Structure formats: structure tokens, C-alpha cells
């Protein structure tokens, strides 16, 4: 008799553990994305992706975890991910920040994807829906092509993505908008319906796409925004016995865009700024505390030409360093 009771208890615990594992390792299949809108901003070398999802619970039980899917390449270049739950309509909307964490899906189909879980503030009951706004920020994602350009040439880059939103859920309707810095687009892949107007490329709307649907695309376009990257930043703070604070910042800068090819002409660069060094960065902007004084700056060879110390409406000092040089390589400021 005792053996039978122990066997039943063991079986019950095994089934409970199995159900718990399944529920924790796979996305809630009762979720359906009734509408998805993705807006990709390629105006600079930092890519901002705004994803709006209307999530419906089409199952029979409450669920509080929504799973996002990204490609491994996107995860490698992901700087941040943020999620908000939107409540209300039009001007009376409010937002609630939600927790987002990386997750694993051992029983996911054999597709190259990485996953993040959004934890809803309150479980979504059967038949209910909610609107989520997700922000992705990617860095070092654009590929300069050609990789080297002359001083008088514009910078062209490649952006690779998919016209369909990668998701573990069925998406009833979806649209993707890609914004480029200018109207100069060398080429882009069409996945009908596709429409281009001025600086915007619209993919979709696409309807009734099953989970994990993708359709690779690329956009080859002009992007002359400065690809300024701080490779290293060291901040030294010295506090004197008299209460004065001295802050010294050491920057190692790099131009992460197309490399400079050929001979550099200082005369052409300064006299023909509209057509020479279009993708270089000519200045740096630093926001300083209102009571700062005795500001100084220099670089390795001391060739910074001028600066402006300005005050805005918030009484915050803005210190602008002017760098009259093409910056296809590293540079140090002290």
C-alpha cells in the first residue's frame, strides 16, 4: 500500500515538474499579434527601431510573458532594449515600463534566433489585448560599402534586415517603415507590396504570417552622418582641500565609417565643405554643469582650432570643440 502511494506521489511530482518545464521553456502559444508596426530609423550610425505590437490572448488561461525574437547578428549589435505597456487611447494614454530579460527556448524550432521575454505588469486574461511599444538600439550595424572613399566622395552603407518581423507568434497584419537620411538610395530589395516615397521605404502591409517568417532584404543608401565612436573614455576627478573639483576626461575617438582613401587636402576640406569630407565629423558637443569654469582642451598634436562656450535656456553650458580635420582614424583628446 505504501509503495503504491509513493509511486502515485512520484508520478504526480514528475508530471508537475514536466508541466512547469514546458510552461517556462516555450512562449505562450495562446498569444497572437493582431497588428505590428515597425519603424526603423537609419538617419545616423546608431539605429533606432520602434516596434508597436497589439498582443491578444487567444488562449483559455491568463499569460504574463511575451517573447521577442532577434537574429544573432542583431543581438551582437544590440545596445539596449526597452519595453512599455500603453494604456488608454489618443491623448489620454499612459505608459508603464516593463521588465525585459534574455531567455532560452529549448523547444523552439531549429531557426537561428535569440529571445527576450517581456514581463507584463498584470496577466493578460483570455480574450484581452494590450499594446506594447518596444525600442531596440543597435550600434556598429551599418556596413560601409565601398569600405574606402576619397575625400570628395559621399559615404554609402548597407543595411541588412528582413521585411517580415521575426516573431514566435502568428502575426495577423504587419508593416515596416525604413527611414533613410536622404533620398539617395542606390538599391533596395522589394517584397511586394513595397512603396518608396522620399526618404521612406514601406514594406507591407503583410497579412496572416505564421511564426518565424522572414524575408531577407537590404538597403544600399547614402549616409554622411559622422560615425563618431568613443573607443575609450577615462574620467579623472580630483577634489582639493578647498572644495574645488577638477574633472579631466580623456577620449580616444574613432571614425567607424568608410576609411579615407588617397591624399588628404586641407585646403579643399576647409574651402569646399559641401563637397569635401561630407562624412567626417567637424566638432564635438559636450554638455557641462552650469557652474563650470576654467575649461581647457587639447589633443595629441594640439591642432584644435577654436571653440564656443554657450549657455542654453536651462543654464547648461555647451562646449563645442571644432576639429578641422577629416577623421577616418583614431584621435585622442585630453
Amino acid at each position: 500500500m505504501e509503495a503504491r502511494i509513493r509511486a502515485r506521489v512520484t508520478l504526480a511530482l514528475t508530471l508537475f515538474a514536466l508541466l512547469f518545464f514546458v510552461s517556462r521553456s516555450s512562449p505562450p502559444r495562446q498569444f497572437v499579434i493582431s497588428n505590428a508596426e515597425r519603424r526603423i530609423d537609419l538617419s545616423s550610425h546608431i539605429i533606432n527601431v520602434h516596434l508597436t505590437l497589439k498582443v491578444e490572448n487567444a488562449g483559455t488561461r491568463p499569460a504574463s510573458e511575451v517573447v521577442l525574437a532577434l537574429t544573432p547578428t542583431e543581438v551582437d549589435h544590440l545596445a539596449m532594449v526597452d519595453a512599455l505597456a500603453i494604456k488608454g487611447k489618443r491623448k489620454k494614454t499612459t505608459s508603464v515600463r516593463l521588465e525585459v530579460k534574455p531567455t532560452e527556448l529549448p523547444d523552439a524550432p531549429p531557426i537561428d534566433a535569440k529571445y527576450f521575454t517581456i514581463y507584463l505588469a498584470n496577466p493578460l486574461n483570455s480574450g484581452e489585448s494590450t499594446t506594447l511599444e518596444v525600442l531596440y538600439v543597435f550600434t556598429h550595424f551599418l556596413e560601409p560599402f565601398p569600405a574606402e572613399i576619397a575625400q570628395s566622395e559621399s559615404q554609402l552603407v548597407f543595411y541588412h534586415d528582413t521585411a517580415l518581423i521575426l516573431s514566435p507568434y502568428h502575426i495577423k497584419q504587419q508593416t515596416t517603415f525604413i527611414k533613410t537620411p536622404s533620398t539617395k538610395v542606390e538599391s533596395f530589395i522589394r517584397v511586394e507590396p513595397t512603396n518608396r516615397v522620399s526618404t521612406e521605404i514601406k514594406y507591407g502591409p503583410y497579412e496572416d504570417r505564421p511564426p518565424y517568417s522572414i524575408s531577407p532584404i537590404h538597403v544600399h543608401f547614402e549616409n554622411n552622418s559622422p560615425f563618431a565612436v568613443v573607443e575609450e573614455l577615462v574620467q579623472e576627478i580630483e577634489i582639493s582641500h578647498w572644495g574645488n573639483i577638477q574633472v579631466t576626461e580623456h577620449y580616444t575617438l574613432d571614425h567607424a565609417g568608410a576609411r579615407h582613401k588617397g591624399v588628404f587636402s586641407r585646403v579643399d576640406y576647409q574651402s569646399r565643405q559641401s563637397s569635401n569630407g561630407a562624412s567626417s565629423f567637424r566638432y564635438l558637443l559636450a554638455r557641462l554643469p552650469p557652474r563650470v569654469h576654467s575649461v581647457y582642451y587639447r589633443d595629441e598634436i594640439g591642432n584644435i582650432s577654436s571653440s564656443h562656450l554657450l549657455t542654453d535656456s536651462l543654464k547648461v553650458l555647451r562646449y563645442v570643440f571644432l576639429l578641422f580635420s577629416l577623421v577616418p582614424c583614431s584621435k585622442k583628446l585630453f
Side-chain angles (χ1 to χ4, degrees), residues 95-266:
S95 60
V96 178
R97 191 172 301 278
L98 303 176
E99 185 180 15
V100 183
K101 290 184 177 181
T103 189
E104 297 287 341
L105 297 181
D107 60 339
I111 184 172
D112 209 6
K114 302 291 184 180
Y115 303 95
F116 289 83
T117 296
I118 299 177
Y119 297 90
L120 302 180
N122 299 301
L124 201 63
N125 296 319
S126 177
E128 293 182 343
S129 63
T130 186
T131 300
L132 302 178
E133 288 190 357
V134 183
L135 170 64
Y136 300 112
V137 178
F138 299 102
T139 59
H140 303 284
F141 200 92
L142 298 177
E143 175 191 355
F145 188 83
E148 296 183 347
I149 57 175
Q151 182 175 336
S152 59
E153 294 180 313
S154 294
Q155 180 174 254
L156 301 176
V157 297
F158 263 117
Y159 172 70
H160 300 275
D161 205 334
T162 169
L164 301 177
I165 300 171
L166 180 62
S167 174
Y169 307 112
H170 175 86
I171 302 180
K172 293 182 179 179
Q173 181 171 299
Q174 61 177 295
T175 309
T176 293
F177 299 89
I178 298 179
K179 179 185 178 182
T180 57
S182 69
T183 57
K184 187 174 181 180
V185 177
E186 298 292 309
S187 65
F188 65 97
I189 292 180
R190 291 181 174 270
V191 180
E192 298 300 339
T194 301
N195 186 35
R196 180 190 169 206
V197 177
S198 186
T199 60
E200 186 176 82
I201 303 174
K202 178 183 177 182
Y203 287 95
Y206 306 110
E207 297 182 352
D208 292 324
R209 299 293 174 163
Y212 301 103
S213 296
I214 60 172
S215 183
I217 60 170
H218 74 251
V219 183
H220 190 204
F221 62 99
E222 180 185 72
N223 189 335
N224 284 321
S225 64
F227 280 36
V229 176
V230 178
E231 294 289 349
E232 184 181 19
L233 170 58
V234 178
Q235 186 181 69
E236 298 176 355
I237 301 176
E238 181 179 342
I239 304 176
S240 71
H241 292 289
W242 308 104
N244 295 322
I245 300 176
Q246 177 177 303
V247 180
T248 305
E249 294 181 339
H250 304 263
Y251 293 84
T252 300
L253 298 174
D254 183 58
H255 192 300
R259 313 301 288 181
H260 178 235
K261 177 179 65 176
V263 179
F264 171 66
S265 171
R266 173 74 62 181

